[in-house]
Amino acid sequence: MAKKKYYVVWVGRQTGIFETWEDCNEQIFGFPKAQYKSFKTKELAEKAFNSSSKEFIGKDIFETVLTPEQLELIGEPIKDSISVDGAWNTATGIVEYQGVHTNSGKNLFRVGPYEDGTNNIVEFLAIVHALAYCKQHNLKLPIYSDSRIAIGWVRDKQARTNHDKSDKNQKLFELIDRAIKWLNENEYYNEILKWETRAWGENPADFGRK
């Protein structure tokens, strides 16, 4: 029996993690400059999906193990900070997100669940929620996210999701609109930093459902 694989699609008709080649192929076949790769475990696939495709395409997965020199260069995370993360059930499409204090693990906010979403959407909403939380409480703490895509969306003040709107996710898209409006109407002084999972382990805000 063939070993099960998980397929990550970074660029395609739909992005995400697919559990069969047939489902993956539907997203990439004939799609210009599609980006995808297979992984042996769901955990590796989820980590890859939340990172840049450049870190994985054309590379052996074991090349992502950091050397002592690389670990020293990255250093340690800032403990007095906020970490955010999203959770996406690939089977049901249910999504939610939360933010915690990095050092203590204290939950600062948790939002959801919502129907018919994607991981990128809730990762984006989590960062904006953390920014608004900090502004409300006059905090200049750095904010960590393990999603390069979401960090880019916040930087550009736009959510580049290809996910279709539906009756089920109307509330979710309302939150996206509110988040973009907030980014355009507010200044913030918090650094938004990439959580280095390979160096530090799981994001403290991770939902622990792998």
Side-chain angles (χ1 to χ4, degrees), residues 5 7 29 31 44-45 47 51 53 59 101 138 144 154 163-164 169 207:
K5 289 184 178 181
Y7 301 87
F29 183 76
F31 192 91
L44 286 174
K47 288 181 178 179
S51 302
S53 61
K59 296 182 179 180
H101 185 264
N138 195 29
Y144 281 107
V154 172
H163 196 57
D164 294 329
N169 61 27
F207 281 78

Side-chain angles (χ1 to χ4, degrees), residues 185-197:
E185 294 180 352
N186 290 270
E187 291 185 356
Y188 58 87
Y189 303 95
N190 310 79
E191 286 187 281
I192 302 175
L193 305 173
K194 175 69 169 63
W195 180 265
E196 300 292 346
T197 305

Side-chain angles (χ1 to χ4, degrees), residues 145 152 162 172:
S145 169
N162 295 322
L172 201 56

Side-chain angles (χ1 to χ4, degrees), residues 113-132:
Y114 295 108
E115 291 186 271
D116 191 19
T118 71
N119 199 63
N120 288 336
I121 289 174
V122 282
E123 297 273 14
F124 167 73
L125 293 175
I127 298 174
V128 180
H129 193 136
L131 289 170

Side-chain angles (χ1 to χ4, degrees), residues 142-159:
I143 297 167
Y144 281 107
S145 169
D146 58 18
S147 172
R148 295 183 187 276
I149 292 174
I151 292 172
W153 287 4
V154 172
R155 180 194 62 228
D156 298 336
K157 300 181 181 180
Q158 54 184 306

Side-chain angles (χ1 to χ4, degrees), residues 36-198:
Y36 62 97
K37 186 178 177 70
S38 66
F39 295 87
K40 294 181 179 179
T41 68
K42 189 173 183 180
E43 181 177 8
L44 286 174
E46 288 176 341
K47 288 181 178 179
F49 183 63
N50 286 315
S51 302
S52 170
S53 61
K54 294 179 181 178
E55 296 184 18
F56 297 91
I57 293 178
K59 296 182 179 180
D60 188 286
I61 188 61
F62 294 106
E63 292 180 11
T64 63
V65 177
L66 299 179
T67 66
E69 292 76 15
Q70 289 173 315
L71 290 171
E72 184 177 354
L73 183 63
I74 292 172
E76 295 295 325
I78 300 169
K79 293 184 178 181
D80 192 18
S81 60
I82 295 175
S83 294
V84 299
D85 199 15
W88 173 44
N89 187 316
T90 57
T92 64
I94 297 293
V95 294
E96 57 187 314
Y97 68 84
Q98 64 180 353
V100 305
H101 185 264
T102 301
N103 191 42
S104 67
K106 178 183 177 182
N107 191 280
L108 305 177
F109 55 83
R110 182 167 179 168
V111 181
Y114 295 108
E115 291 186 271
D116 191 19
T118 71
N119 199 63
N120 288 336
I121 289 174
V122 282
E123 297 273 14
F124 167 73
L125 293 175
I127 298 174
V128 180
H129 193 136
L131 289 170
Y133 177 92
C134 287
K135 192 173 185 70
Q136 180 182 3
H137 295 86
N138 195 29
L139 300 173
K140 295 184 180 179
L141 301 179
I143 297 167
Y144 281 107
S145 169
D146 58 18
S147 172
R148 295 183 187 276
I149 292 174
I151 292 172
W153 287 4
V154 172
R155 180 194 62 228
D156 298 336
K157 300 181 181 180
Q158 54 184 306
R160 297 191 184 90
T161 180
N162 295 322
H163 196 57
D164 294 329
K165 293 183 180 181
S166 69
D167 291 339
K168 290 183 178 180
N169 61 27
Q170 180 179 350
K171 178 61 177 177
L172 201 56
F173 274 88
E174 288 176 359
L175 291 177
I176 293 173
D177 292 340
R178 285 176 54 188
I180 294 172
K181 186 174 187 291
W182 189 95
L183 289 172
N184 281 286
E185 294 180 352
N186 290 270
E187 291 185 356
Y188 58 87
Y189 303 95
N190 310 79
E191 286 187 281
I192 302 175
L193 305 173
K194 175 69 169 63
W195 180 265
E196 300 292 346
T197 305
R198 290 181 292 160

